[in-house]
Amino acid sequence: MVVLPYTVAFLLLSFLQTVKIANSQSFIGINYGQVGDNLPPPSSTAKLLQSTSIQKVRLYGSDPAIIKALANTGIGIVIGTANGDIPGLASDPNFAKSWINTNVLPFYPASNIILITVGNEVMTSNDQNLINKLLPAMQNVQNALNDASLGGKIKVSTVHSMGVLKQSEPPSSGSFDPSYGDLMKGLLEFNSANGSPFAINPYPYFAYRSDTRPETLAFCLFQPNAGRIDGNTKIKYMNMFDAQVDAVYSALNSMGFKNVEIVVAETGWPYKGDDNDGGPSIENAKAYNGNLIAHLRWMVGTPLMPGKSVDTYLFALYDEDLKPGPGSERLSGLFKTDLTMIYDAGLSTSNQTQSPTASPQPSPTATITTTTTSNNNSSTSTSTSTGTGTSTSTGTGTNTISINICSSSNNSSSSSSSSDINKVYLIKIFNLGLLYGFTRLSLICLFFYYLQT
């Protein structure tokens, strides 16, 4: 009984921390590319970001003007080394120290640099020289941070495309391409030893481009669909994002690294593309990004990683008119270069309590699946809330919760927004009610404890 007051205090602090994490939205980030000739000045971009719920920014390089402009904003900053720097970083520890001295030390901690990415999608670049030198480059950058007493404060990793997976369907069978062999194992050992994340670029957009059926589009856009059942776990997936992220988790788990954090370094949907592109549109981009943001805010996680939203960096802050490749590569921005929104994905702090409508697309549902496992056997129950407010349930042996996060697609945009606002307010009231009830319970426990003593 002596430990009762401390137990109650610990539980109360844990609950408060959970509420704080859910409200901080620190899991929402954005990619800030600079391959353009009409981008606004960094100071204006810093003010724009502060007017949104975006808490983290990923740079592909280490532009000092941008890093300096983000000083004292509290925004987490990911900076990157160019792929071309990898050979030098790998072969010369002094070059790594010079890179840290130039790109980190003059700005940190006023500029909240949280991660350094060494290269981008190197493992799928088909450049064997870069691939072989990636890990030594990461190690030298880490050593340079350690020498500057920043090793525990700024993490080091690299960014991968989904091409590093040999298999991603079903999600529970996710596995890395065996051709990477010991190279991938070495990278994962580095991540595990240094507490750095495995950064990946999942794009449901590309999955849709390879399968343009309407049901695939709905699955990719978080809209009502029949779902896809993983034959191994019997889990029903209701959106492609969760399926792709869980495939990565399964691949990590298969190699013994399930505790390495996953970070979504890029994901998004272009609002315009070339004439032969069927997927890009304002409606689809708004549906994907808006519904993804709502999904993250619900903190439901994924079926294999429930209860926590992975850090997710949207692609992208602005269009990049000088970027090579298809038109969709240049036209994925959420904001125009005059700082106005291309479409409202629900990022503005003035309306972040709203879940953006995806008219004329249907609205999504959120399915929370609880799985219990005993002696390697699992039973799964899935409850799916439909756009009309009804609920259907399949499976046995577990408790399920079904939450309809958007109103019916038959409603008008104004009624949908109003409904979404009401739902968020109800959630806040529910959280306050839980906090109030938990506090009363804690006080009652303490009261009876002191009566007994």
Side-chain angles (χ1 to χ4, degrees), residues 203-206 208 217 220-221 267-272 279-281 284-286 288-289 315 331-333 343:
Y203 273 94
Y205 167 71
F206 292 124
Y208 170 67
L217 181 62
C220 290
L221 296 181
T267 191
W269 199 286
Y271 69 87
K272 192 176 182 181
S281 71
N284 288 344
K286 181 177 180 180
Y288 179 74
N289 286 313
F315 187 83
L331 300 168
S332 294
Y343 56 86

Side-chain angles (χ1 to χ4, degrees), residues 53-378:
S53 55
I54 295 168
Q55 296 293 309
K56 296 175 180 176
V57 172
R58 178 190 171 207
L59 308 179
Y60 292 87
S62 54
D63 188 320
I66 297 176
I67 299 173
K68 187 175 181 179
L70 293 172
N72 303 312
T73 62
I75 295 173
I77 308 168
V78 178
I79 62 175
T81 75
N83 286 3
D85 288 335
I86 290 175
L89 291 169
S91 61
D92 186 0
N94 288 325
F95 179 55
K97 289 182 180 180
S98 175
W99 197 94
I100 295 298
N101 290 340
T102 301
N103 298 294
V104 176
L105 297 186
F107 311 106
Y108 186 88
S111 297
N112 184 26
I113 300 170
I114 58 175
L115 177 65
I116 298 172
T117 57
V118 179
N120 185 51
E121 299 188 349
V122 173
M123 295 297 286
T124 50
S125 67
N126 295 320
D127 187 326
Q128 199 60 45
N129 182 50
L130 286 183
I131 293 172
N132 291 334
K133 292 184 176 179
L134 177 58
L135 179 57
M138 292 168 61
Q139 291 169 331
N140 281 341
V141 172
Q142 181 68 60
N143 292 337
L145 283 174
N146 294 342
D147 291 343
S149 300
L150 295 177
K153 300 174 182 178
I154 300 174
K155 303 299 182 181
V156 177
S157 190
T158 189
V159 178
H160 303 281
S161 75
M162 287 292 286
V164 297
L165 297 186
K166 177 69 173 180
Q167 184 171 346
S168 60
E169 250 184 278
S172 63
S173 296
S175 61
F176 291 110
D177 190 325
S179 66
Y180 298 126
D182 291 339
L183 291 172
M184 182 59 73
K185 183 180 179 182
L187 292 174
L188 295 177
E189 287 174 342
F190 176 92
N191 291 139
S192 180
N194 294 285
S196 62
F198 182 83
I200 190 82
N201 296 341
Y203 273 94
Y205 167 71
F206 292 124
Y208 170 67
R209 287 195 62 176
S210 64
D211 178 7
T212 57
R213 292 175 298 165
E215 54 266 36
T216 301
L217 181 62
F219 188 67
C220 290
L221 296 181
F222 298 84
Q223 293 175 341
N225 63 91
R228 299 183 181 182
I229 297 177
D230 186 315
N232 298 323
T233 62
K234 308 306 179 187
I235 293 173
K236 179 183 282 190
Y237 283 84
M238 301 306 297
N239 66 81
M240 182 67 78
F241 180 83
D242 283 354
Q244 290 184 331
V245 172
D246 272 358
V248 175
Y249 173 83
S250 295
L252 292 172
N253 188 31
S254 70
M255 293 189 67
F257 295 97
K258 68 177 182 180
N259 292 325
V260 171
E261 178 190 6
I262 297 172
V263 165
V264 174
E266 277 184 36
T267 191
W269 199 286
Y271 69 87
K272 192 176 182 181
D274 297 325
D275 292 339
N276 59 341
D277 287 342
S281 71
I282 289 284
E283 292 78 12
N284 288 344
K286 181 177 180 180
Y288 179 74
N289 286 313
N291 292 332
L292 171 60
I293 291 166
H295 183 63
L296 295 172
R297 284 175 176 160
W298 275 89
M299 298 288 289
V300 294
T302 70
L304 297 184
M305 296 183 293
K308 178 183 181 297
S309 293
V310 297
D311 285 2
T312 300
Y313 292 79
L314 304 172
F315 187 83
L317 183 58
Y318 300 119
D319 289 342
E320 297 174 84
D321 62 336
L322 300 182
K323 197 171 184 180
S328 57
E329 288 287 330
R330 295 182 290 277
L331 300 168
S332 294
L334 274 71
F335 292 89
K336 300 177 183 178
T337 54
D338 66 2
L339 308 180
T340 60
M341 291 182 291
I342 295 176
Y343 56 86
D344 188 357
L347 287 171
S348 173
T349 53
S350 64
N351 68 354
Q352 65 178 289
T353 55
Q354 299 184 37
S355 177
T357 59
S359 178
Q361 308 286 357
S363 300
T365 61
T367 300
I368 302 176
T369 303
T370 305
T371 304
T372 59
T373 304
S374 177
N375 298 325
N376 297 324
N377 294 322
S378 64

